[in-house]
Protein backbone atom coordinates (compact mmCIF):
# COMPACT_ATOMS: atom_id res chain seq x y z
CA UNK A 1 0.00 0.00 0.00
CA UNK A 2 1.56 3.30 -1.10
CA UNK A 3 1.51 6.48 0.96
CA UNK A 4 -0.62 9.33 -0.39
CA UNK A 5 1.28 11.94 -2.35
CA UNK A 6 1.95 15.10 -0.35
CA UNK A 7 -0.28 18.00 -1.26
CA UNK A 8 1.20 21.13 -2.78
CA UNK A 9 2.03 23.84 -0.25
CA UNK A 10 -0.63 26.53 0.02
CA UNK A 11 0.50 30.11 -0.59
CA UNK A 12 1.04 32.16 2.53
CA UNK A 13 -1.34 35.01 3.29
CA UNK A 14 -4.84 35.70 2.03
CA UNK A 15 -5.51 34.94 -1.59
CA UNK A 16 -7.12 37.78 -3.57
CA UNK A 17 -9.93 36.57 -5.86
CA UNK A 18 -9.37 37.29 -9.52
CA UNK A 19 -12.53 39.39 -9.71
CA UNK A 20 -11.23 41.70 -6.95
CA UNK A 21 -7.80 42.33 -8.45
CA UNK A 22 -8.91 44.98 -11.02
CA UNK A 23 -10.81 46.80 -8.25
CA UNK A 24 -7.74 46.85 -6.01
CA UNK A 25 -5.55 47.99 -8.90
CA UNK A 26 -7.99 50.80 -9.64
CA UNK A 27 -8.01 51.85 -6.00
CA UNK A 28 -4.21 51.90 -5.90
CA UNK A 29 -4.24 53.98 -9.09
CA UNK A 30 -6.64 56.49 -7.53
CA UNK A 31 -4.62 56.75 -4.33
CA UNK A 32 -1.42 57.24 -6.32
CA UNK A 33 -3.02 59.98 -8.41
CA UNK A 34 -4.22 61.77 -5.27
CA UNK A 35 -0.74 61.58 -3.74
CA UNK A 36 0.81 62.97 -6.90
CA UNK A 37 -1.66 65.88 -6.85
CA UNK A 38 -0.77 66.46 -3.19
CA UNK A 39 2.93 66.53 -4.11
CA UNK A 40 2.17 69.08 -6.82
CA UNK A 41 0.13 71.22 -4.40
CA UNK A 42 2.87 71.11 -1.74
CA UNK A 43 5.45 72.03 -4.38
CA UNK A 44 3.35 74.99 -5.52
CA UNK A 45 2.91 76.13 -1.92
CA UNK A 46 6.65 75.91 -1.26
CA UNK A 47 7.58 77.82 -4.41
CA UNK A 48 4.91 80.46 -3.75
CA UNK A 49 6.18 80.88 -0.19
CA UNK A 50 9.74 81.35 -1.43
CA UNK A 51 8.60 83.81 -4.08
CA UNK A 52 6.62 85.83 -1.51
CA UNK A 53 9.34 85.64 1.13
CA UNK A 54 6.95 83.83 3.50
CA UNK A 55 9.39 81.70 5.46
CA UNK A 56 6.80 79.86 7.63
CA UNK A 57 5.17 78.53 4.45
CA UNK A 58 8.52 77.16 3.31
CA UNK A 59 9.06 75.54 6.71
CA UNK A 60 5.64 73.87 6.47
CA UNK A 61 5.75 72.73 2.84
CA UNK A 62 9.33 71.61 2.34
CA UNK A 63 9.32 68.67 4.82
CA UNK A 64 6.15 67.32 3.15
CA UNK A 65 7.53 67.13 -0.38
CA UNK A 66 9.63 63.97 -0.44
CA UNK A 67 7.32 61.94 1.85
CA UNK A 68 4.45 62.62 -0.58
CA UNK A 69 6.61 61.60 -3.53
CA UNK A 70 7.72 58.46 -1.69
CA UNK A 71 4.11 57.56 -0.92
CA UNK A 72 3.25 58.04 -4.60
CA UNK A 73 6.04 55.82 -5.94
CA UNK A 74 5.13 53.14 -3.39
CA UNK A 75 1.68 52.90 -4.98
CA UNK A 76 3.53 52.22 -8.23
CA UNK A 77 5.59 49.43 -6.63
CA UNK A 78 8.83 51.38 -6.85
CA UNK A 79 12.16 49.62 -6.23
CA UNK A 80 13.63 50.00 -2.78
CA UNK A 81 16.63 51.94 -4.04
CA UNK A 82 14.36 54.66 -5.44
CA UNK A 83 12.48 54.89 -2.14
CA UNK A 84 15.80 55.10 -0.27
CA UNK A 85 17.13 57.81 -2.61
CA UNK A 86 14.03 59.95 -2.10
CA UNK A 87 14.14 59.34 1.67
CA UNK A 88 17.73 60.56 1.82
CA UNK A 89 16.60 63.56 -0.22
CA UNK A 90 14.08 64.30 2.52
CA UNK A 91 16.87 64.15 5.09
CA UNK A 92 18.83 66.69 3.08
CA UNK A 93 15.77 68.92 2.71
CA UNK A 94 15.17 69.04 6.46
CA UNK A 95 18.85 69.60 7.31
CA UNK A 96 19.12 72.55 4.93
CA UNK A 97 16.25 74.29 6.70
CA UNK A 98 18.80 75.15 9.40
CA UNK A 99 21.25 77.95 8.63
CA UNK A 100 24.49 76.46 9.99
CA UNK A 101 27.65 74.94 8.50
CA UNK A 102 27.07 71.69 10.38
CA UNK A 103 23.53 71.43 9.00
CA UNK A 104 24.87 72.10 5.50
CA UNK A 105 27.35 69.23 5.84
CA UNK A 106 24.67 66.90 7.21
CA UNK A 107 22.35 67.82 4.36
CA UNK A 108 25.07 67.33 1.77
CA UNK A 109 25.91 63.94 3.29
CA UNK A 110 22.26 62.86 3.15
CA UNK A 111 21.97 63.89 -0.48
CA UNK A 112 25.24 62.08 -1.21
CA UNK A 113 23.77 58.84 0.17
CA UNK A 114 20.78 59.42 -2.07
CA UNK A 115 23.07 59.73 -5.08
CA UNK A 116 24.74 56.44 -4.13
CA UNK A 117 21.31 54.80 -4.14
CA UNK A 118 20.59 56.31 -7.55
CA UNK A 119 23.93 55.07 -8.91
CA UNK A 120 23.17 51.51 -7.81
CA UNK A 121 19.65 51.86 -9.22
CA UNK A 122 20.92 53.06 -12.60
CA UNK A 123 23.60 50.40 -12.81
CA UNK A 124 21.66 47.24 -11.92
CA UNK A 125 18.61 45.44 -13.21
CA UNK A 126 16.90 45.22 -16.61
CA UNK A 127 15.91 48.15 -18.76
CA UNK A 128 19.29 49.90 -18.62
CA UNK A 129 21.01 51.18 -21.72
CA UNK A 130 24.44 52.55 -22.46
CA UNK A 131 25.07 56.25 -22.08
CA UNK A 132 26.88 57.85 -25.01
CA UNK A 133 30.57 58.56 -24.21
CA UNK A 134 30.19 62.17 -25.34
CA UNK A 135 27.62 62.71 -22.59
CA UNK A 136 30.14 61.48 -20.03
CA UNK A 137 32.82 63.73 -21.51
CA UNK A 138 30.48 66.72 -21.31
CA UNK A 139 29.71 66.05 -17.67
CA UNK A 140 33.42 65.63 -16.90
CA UNK A 141 34.19 69.00 -18.43
CA UNK A 142 31.31 70.58 -16.49
CA UNK A 143 32.58 69.05 -13.23
CA UNK A 144 36.16 70.26 -13.61
CA UNK A 145 35.11 73.72 -14.77
CA UNK A 146 32.56 74.24 -12.01
CA UNK A 147 34.84 73.10 -9.19
CA UNK A 148 37.71 75.22 -10.53
CA UNK A 149 35.53 78.33 -10.69
CA UNK A 150 34.03 77.81 -7.25
CA UNK A 151 37.19 76.70 -5.45
CA UNK A 152 38.61 80.06 -4.38
CA UNK A 153 35.26 81.29 -3.07
CA UNK A 154 34.47 78.24 -0.96
CA UNK A 155 35.37 78.20 2.75
CA UNK A 156 38.53 76.12 3.24
CA UNK A 157 36.74 73.52 5.37
CA UNK A 158 34.11 72.96 2.68
CA UNK A 159 36.35 72.63 -0.37
CA UNK A 160 37.06 68.93 0.02
CA UNK A 161 33.47 67.91 0.86
CA UNK A 162 32.03 70.03 -1.96
CA UNK A 163 34.52 68.61 -4.49
CA UNK A 164 33.74 65.03 -3.43
CA UNK A 165 30.01 65.66 -3.47
CA UNK A 166 30.24 67.30 -6.89
CA UNK A 167 31.99 64.22 -8.27
CA UNK A 168 29.26 61.94 -6.90
CA UNK A 169 26.47 64.20 -8.11
CA UNK A 170 27.94 64.46 -11.61
CA UNK A 171 28.34 60.67 -11.80
CA UNK A 172 24.69 60.27 -10.85
CA UNK A 173 23.58 62.81 -13.46
CA UNK A 174 25.64 61.05 -16.13
CA UNK A 175 24.40 57.55 -15.26
CA UNK A 176 20.75 58.67 -15.06
CA UNK A 177 20.69 58.50 -18.86
CA UNK A 178 20.78 54.71 -18.59
CA UNK A 179 17.04 54.82 -17.84
CA UNK A 180 16.09 57.07 -20.72
CA UNK A 181 15.51 60.73 -21.44
CA UNK A 182 13.12 61.40 -18.56
CA UNK A 183 15.58 60.23 -15.91
CA UNK A 184 18.44 61.93 -17.79
CA UNK A 185 16.59 65.25 -17.60
CA UNK A 186 16.12 64.69 -13.88
CA UNK A 187 19.81 64.05 -13.36
CA UNK A 188 20.76 67.20 -15.28
CA UNK A 189 18.31 69.34 -13.30
CA UNK A 190 19.62 67.95 -10.01
CA UNK A 191 23.12 69.00 -11.05
CA UNK A 192 21.86 72.47 -11.98
CA UNK A 193 19.99 72.90 -8.69
CA UNK A 194 22.98 71.98 -6.54
CA UNK A 195 25.30 74.11 -8.64
CA UNK A 196 23.09 77.11 -7.88
CA UNK A 197 23.40 76.31 -4.17
CA UNK A 198 27.18 76.05 -4.50
CA UNK A 199 27.44 79.49 -6.11
CA UNK A 200 25.71 80.96 -3.07
CA UNK A 201 28.06 79.15 -0.69
CA UNK A 202 31.02 80.46 -2.72
CA UNK A 203 29.76 84.02 -2.33
CA UNK A 204 28.85 84.63 -5.96
CA UNK A 205 26.31 87.41 -6.66
CA UNK A 206 22.82 85.90 -6.70
CA UNK A 207 19.97 86.84 -9.00
CA UNK A 208 16.59 87.70 -7.45
CA UNK A 209 14.53 84.59 -6.84
CA UNK A 210 17.48 82.19 -6.79
CA UNK A 211 15.84 80.18 -4.00
CA UNK A 212 12.78 79.62 -6.17
CA UNK A 213 14.92 78.36 -9.05
CA UNK A 214 16.87 76.06 -6.72
CA UNK A 215 13.70 74.43 -5.39
CA UNK A 216 11.94 74.35 -8.77
CA UNK A 217 14.81 72.54 -10.48
CA UNK A 218 15.26 70.22 -7.48
CA UNK A 219 11.61 69.21 -7.33
CA UNK A 220 11.48 68.66 -11.08
CA UNK A 221 14.68 66.60 -10.82
CA UNK A 222 13.38 64.26 -8.12
CA UNK A 223 10.07 63.78 -9.90
CA UNK A 224 11.70 63.09 -13.27
CA UNK A 225 14.17 60.63 -11.73
CA UNK A 226 11.27 58.81 -10.08
CA UNK A 227 9.12 58.89 -13.21
CA UNK A 228 11.99 57.69 -15.40
CA UNK A 229 12.65 54.79 -13.05
CA UNK A 230 8.99 53.74 -12.97
CA UNK A 231 8.67 54.06 -16.75
CA UNK A 232 11.73 51.89 -17.31
CA UNK A 233 10.34 49.19 -15.00
CA UNK A 234 6.97 49.22 -16.79
CA UNK A 235 8.74 48.96 -20.13
CA UNK A 236 10.59 45.85 -18.97
CA UNK A 237 7.40 44.24 -17.71
Amino acid sequence: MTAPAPSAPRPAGPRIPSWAQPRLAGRRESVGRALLYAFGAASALDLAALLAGWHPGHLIAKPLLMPLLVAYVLTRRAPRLLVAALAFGWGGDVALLFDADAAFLVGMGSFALGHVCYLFLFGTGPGRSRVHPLVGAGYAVALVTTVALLWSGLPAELRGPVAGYSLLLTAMAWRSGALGRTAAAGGALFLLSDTLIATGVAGWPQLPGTGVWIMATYLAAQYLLAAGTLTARRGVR
Side-chain angles (χ1 to χ4, degrees):
M1 184 175 180
T2 59
S7 58
R10 299 180 64 180
R15 186 175 181 178
I16 301 174
S18 58
W19 57 266
Q21 292 177 4
R23 183 178 299 177
L24 290 175
R27 184 174 300 175
R28 185 170 59 245
E29 183 77 19
S30 298
V31 171
R33 191 179 301 115
L35 287 167
L36 187 58
Y37 288 155
F39 170 72
S43 300
L45 173 61
D46 188 55
L47 295 177
L50 287 171
L51 191 61
W54 184 41
H55 191 59
H58 180 58
L59 292 177
I60 293 170
K62 191 178 183 184
L64 299 176
L65 297 169
M66 290 304 106
L68 287 171
L69 190 55
V70 166
Y72 163 70
V73 300
L74 285 174
T75 66
R76 298 300 187 264
R77 299 179 180 178
R80 293 178 181 178
L81 283 171
L82 175 60
V83 174
L86 295 174
F88 281 123
W90 176 80
D93 289 345
V94 173
L96 293 185
L97 288 173
F98 300 92
D99 187 14
D101 289 345
F104 178 78
L105 288 172
V106 169
M108 187 165 58
S110 189
F111 281 123
L113 291 173
H115 296 326
V116 171
C117 293
Y118 275 131
L119 282 170
F120 277 108
L121 179 64
F122 300 150
T124 59
R128 276 67 175 168
S129 59
R130 292 186 61 188
V131 183
H132 198 283
L134 287 179
V135 176
Y139 273 120
V141 171
L143 170 65
V144 173
T145 303
T146 302
V147 172
L149 291 174
L150 294 173
W151 190 261
S152 61
L154 292 172
E157 64 276 11
L158 292 180
R159 288 174 180 172
V162 168
Y165 176 81
S166 299
L167 176 61
L168 189 59
L169 170 63
T170 305
M172 183 280 294
W174 164 55
R175 285 299 301 158
S176 63
L179 291 187
R181 294 181 179 178
T182 300
L189 285 174
F190 213 134
L191 180 62
L192 173 59
S193 178
D194 280 5
T195 300
L196 291 174
I197 294 176
T199 61
V201 175
W204 287 22
Q206 300 292 293
L207 295 173
T210 300
V212 177
W213 287 109
I214 289 172
M215 281 304 299
T217 50
Y218 166 70
L219 292 172
Q222 292 282 39
Y223 170 74
L224 289 173
L225 288 169
T229 301
L230 297 175
T231 300
R233 284 175 62 85
R234 284 198 300 266
V236 171
R237 289 179 181 175

